[in-house]
Amino acid sequence: MLSKCIFLALLAVVVAQEEPVERKPFKPPPVSVPPSIRFEELPLYVQEMLSRQNVNPFQPSQDNPTGHGPGSFMMGFPGVPGKPGMNGRNGLNGPRGPKGDQGDPGLDGLMGQQGIMGKPGLPGPRGHRGFPGRGEAGAKGERGYPGVPIVTNPPRGALWKQCAWMGESDLDSGIIKNCTFRKQSADTYLRVAFSGNLRVGGCTNCCKRWFFTFNNTECSQPVPIDAAIYVAGPTYANPLRPRYIEGYCGRIPTGPINISFKVESCTGYDEGDAYTGWNSASRMIIEEVAPPMQ
C-alpha cells in the first residue's frame, strides 16, 4: 500500500517553469487500486483509470497552465525487460560426499544365447555287471509248414551206388562213362558226383565242358550239373589236375535211370584237346536223397 501511495505522489511532481506563474497545485483524483494488481502493472492501471476520468496531468489546464507539476520532470513507466544474461562459469567441484546406503538388488537380466557345444568328455569307467534279467514268456508262435516226407526203411543197398574205373580217355566229345541206377521214390532227388583228373591242352583260348545226363537229358530241376575248363595258352600247356563235380537233380521218375558222364566243347571257344583220367582212378557216385527243404 505504501508503494502505491509513493507512485501517486510522484505523479504530482512537475518541472518548475523559468518564469514564475501562479497556479494551483495539481490534485490527482483518488484512484482505488484493487489488491490483485501487481506492482509492475500499477502504472498502466493508473493511466487507464485517469484516462477514463478525462484527467491528464501533463496537459495544460486552468489549474495547471503549463501541464507540469511542481518539479522539473516526473518518473516514466518501467521499461521493457532486458534479455537474459549469459550463463556464468561452472563452479569448482565440491568435496566428495559420504558413501550412500546400499541400493536394492537389480532385476535379473535376460537369458543369454546358448554357448558352443563343448568337446566330448573322456569315457567313464565300466559299470558293474548287472543281475541276469528274465523277461515274460513270449506269445505262442504260428503253426509251421508241414514237414518234408522222407524215405523210410528203404531196401538195403538201394539208396546209393558208385561206378569206378581205371584208365584214360582222349575223347573230345561224347560219353565218358555210363552208370545205371534204380530210383525208389518219385518225390526224391538224385545226388551225382564225379572225382578224377581232367585237362584241356594243345590250344589257345579253348574250353571244354563235362556234364551229367539222366536218360540222355540234362537236369532242369533246378539247373544242369556241369563244370567247364578254360585254357588261354600256350599250346604246349598240359594242366592235368584232379577235379570234382557234384550236384542234385529232381523230377526224375522211379525205375532204372541211365546216368551218363559226358564231354563237349564250350560254345564260342576253340575246340582244344580234352583228356579224362590220368594215372589214377575215376569214379561216379549216385545217391537217392530226400527233397530239399522249402
Side-chain angles (χ1 to χ4, degrees), residues 59-196:
Q59 185 177 0
S61 63
Q62 183 177 0
D63 297 331
N64 186 14
T66 63
H68 297 283
S72 60
F73 63 91
M74 70 175 295
M75 183 180 292
F77 298 112
V80 180
K83 297 180 179 180
M86 298 178 62
N87 296 332
R89 296 182 178 179
N90 296 333
L92 298 176
N93 295 333
R96 184 172 181 179
K99 184 177 180 181
D101 298 333
Q102 183 176 357
D104 297 331
L107 301 176
D108 294 339
L110 300 177
M111 181 178 293
Q113 298 180 354
Q114 184 176 358
I116 302 175
M117 182 178 293
K119 296 181 179 179
L122 298 176
R126 185 173 182 179
H128 298 289
R129 184 175 181 180
F131 296 103
R134 183 175 181 181
E136 298 179 357
K140 186 177 180 180
E142 299 180 358
R143 186 173 182 179
Y145 295 102
V148 178
I150 60 174
V151 178
T152 58
N153 298 324
R156 184 177 179 84
L159 291 182
W160 71 276
K161 182 177 180 179
Q162 173 179 258
C163 297
W165 68 96
M166 295 291 297
E168 300 85 15
S169 172
D170 196 22
L171 187 66
D172 293 330
S173 179
I175 299 174
I176 302 298
K177 187 70 173 177
N178 285 322
C179 190
T180 303
F181 183 85
R182 180 173 293 276
K183 193 168 182 291
Q184 302 296 317
S185 300
D187 58 349
T188 56
Y189 276 58
L190 290 183
R191 171 184 170 269
V192 293
F194 168 83
S195 175

Side-chain angles (χ1 to χ4, degrees), residues 209-231:
R209 173 177 177 261
W210 283 262
F211 59 98
F212 288 93
T213 60
F214 302 85
N215 290 338
N216 206 30
T217 302
E218 285 197 70
C219 181
S220 60
Q221 179 61 30
V223 292
I225 303 173
D226 62 351
I229 299 177
Y230 168 80
V231 175

Side-chain angles (χ1 to χ4, degrees), residues 200 204-208 210 228-233 239 243 266 269-270:
V200 178
T204 58
N205 192 33
C206 53
C207 174
K208 288 294 183 180
W210 283 262
I229 299 177
Y230 168 80
V231 175
R243 318 286 180 172
C266 302
Y269 293 89
D270 294 341

Side-chain angles (χ1 to χ4, degrees), residues 14-86:
V14 294
V15 180
Q17 299 184 3
E18 296 178 358
E19 296 181 0
V21 178
E22 184 180 358
R23 59 180 180 274
K24 298 179 180 180
F26 174 73
K27 296 181 180 180
V31 178
S32 178
V33 180
S36 61
I37 298 300
R38 293 180 295 179
F39 177 76
E40 58 269 17
E41 299 174 349
L42 185 59
L44 294 178
Y45 180 78
V46 173
Q47 184 179 2
E48 178 67 22
M49 294 296 102
L50 292 177
S51 63
R52 290 182 182 180
Q53 300 179 16
N54 295 322
V55 177
N56 189 352
F58 307 103
Q59 185 177 0
S61 63
Q62 183 177 0
D63 297 331
N64 186 14
T66 63
H68 297 283
S72 60
F73 63 91
M74 70 175 295
M75 183 180 292
F77 298 112
V80 180
K83 297 180 179 180
M86 298 178 62

